[in-house]
Amino acid sequence: MPQPDLVIFDCDGVLVDSEIIAARVEAELLTLSGYEISAEEIAETYAGLTFKDILMRVEEKSNIPFQVSLIDRAEELVDRKLRSDVRAIEGVREAVASVTAQRCICSNSRSERIEFMLEKVHLLPFFAGRIFSAMETPTGKTKPAPDVFLLAAEKLRANPANTFVIEDSVHGVTGARSAGMRVIGFTGAAHSYPGHADALTEAGAETVIRRWAELSGTLAALSEWSADA
């Protein structure tokens, strides 16, 4: 059976149910700063972006100038909530263990945050030494830029065309597709919303799964389809 060179997992909203936790903190901070927004709106529109990028987009849209200190405040508060509240998404441990190809993480989060979340939910051994933070790439460009995906492929000597990425956000799907990779959308986290699967498909995901039990069969089918194409 054909094998991918590499399987890349996003972290937030894919391995750990962290997007909704961050969205609640960020929504409260933005609302207190004069831009009323709900956690659900942040999850639907801005999931997958750093808070700095969210702030820039909201600032452009609203013409409200935000203090730069808001970024550090958000990081501090989100870290605190994640350390106490983050949980693994149901079935993820078995799904990750079932991947026999090389695997790694490509995320917009800081590597320190990724590591403490994975350690808390006992997933770190699956990815130790293979965690790529977009913030720490040579360019520093975060998703939807493809840079972090291309860096991972280069470091792990994988052909992007034979690399699969599991992503929960339009911005992540866009970045992976720009890197020439194949994408499986994931909608099994708490921040998922009506139309989520359609949005991921429209952004370029070949298919979308809602439960981790679907991963193994989906990877096998898509790998076979590629070999036959």
Side-chain angles (χ1 to χ4, degrees):
M1 184 176 290
Q3 277 281 320
D5 288 2
L6 175 64
V7 177
I8 297 175
F9 293 83
D10 180 37
C11 182
D12 297 285
V14 170
L15 298 174
V16 292
D17 213 349
S18 53
E19 284 283 8
I20 193 63
I21 294 171
R24 286 169 182 152
V25 172
E26 292 161 0
E28 184 175 356
L29 284 173
L30 285 171
T31 299
L32 288 171
S33 299
Y35 184 78
E36 192 167 337
I37 189 169
S38 68
E40 290 72 24
E41 286 175 273
I42 285 188
E44 183 170 344
T45 308
Y46 301 113
L49 295 178
T50 64
F51 186 64
K52 179 182 177 181
D53 286 337
I54 294 172
L55 212 57
M56 288 170 64
R57 293 186 183 208
V58 170
E59 205 168 58
E60 190 177 320
K61 180 179 177 182
S62 66
N63 291 317
I64 297 173
F66 295 104
Q67 294 184 343
V68 177
S69 60
L70 207 59
I71 298 169
D72 290 338
R73 182 64 177 151
E75 289 291 298
E76 177 192 342
L77 292 175
V78 170
D79 275 356
R80 190 183 303 166
K81 287 295 287 181
L82 291 173
R83 286 183 187 279
S84 62
D85 296 353
V86 78
R87 300 287 182 270
I89 292 175
E90 185 179 353
V92 69
R93 194 169 289 104
E94 295 79 7
V96 171
S98 75
V99 174
T100 54
Q102 288 193 102
R103 56 185 174 237
C104 74
I105 289 172
C106 287
S107 171
N108 270 355
S109 286
R110 307 182 323 274
S111 55
E112 178 202 5
R113 177 180 287 175
I114 299 165
E115 287 174 8
F116 81 62
M117 290 193 297
L118 294 185
E119 188 169 25
K120 179 174 171 61
V121 301
H122 310 296
L123 288 174
L124 189 56
F126 289 113
F127 298 103
R130 284 167 287 134
I131 294 171
F132 298 90
S133 166
M135 291 180 166
E136 296 155 22
T137 59
T139 63
K141 290 182 180 176
T142 52
K143 304 173 192 177
D147 301 41
V148 68
F149 297 113
L150 293 172
L151 178 66
E154 179 189 344
K155 294 288 187 186
L156 298 174
R157 298 180 181 178
N159 176 3
N162 194 33
T163 295
F164 285 92
V165 181
I166 296 97
E167 273 284 355
D168 67 302
S169 76
V170 167
H171 305 291
V173 173
T174 301
R177 292 296 297 135
S178 296
M181 297 175 178
R182 303 176 69 184
V183 186
I184 298 169
F186 181 75
T187 61
H191 72 287
S192 192
Y193 53 89
H196 191 179
D198 290 341
L200 298 180
T201 303
E202 287 165 16
E206 291 183 43
T207 191
V208 177
I209 61 175
R210 190 177 60 81
R211 297 178 305 115
W212 277 119
E214 302 168 55
L215 178 66
S216 186
T218 301
L219 271 175
L222 290 179
S223 297
E224 192 70 45
W225 174 80
S226 176
D228 291 344

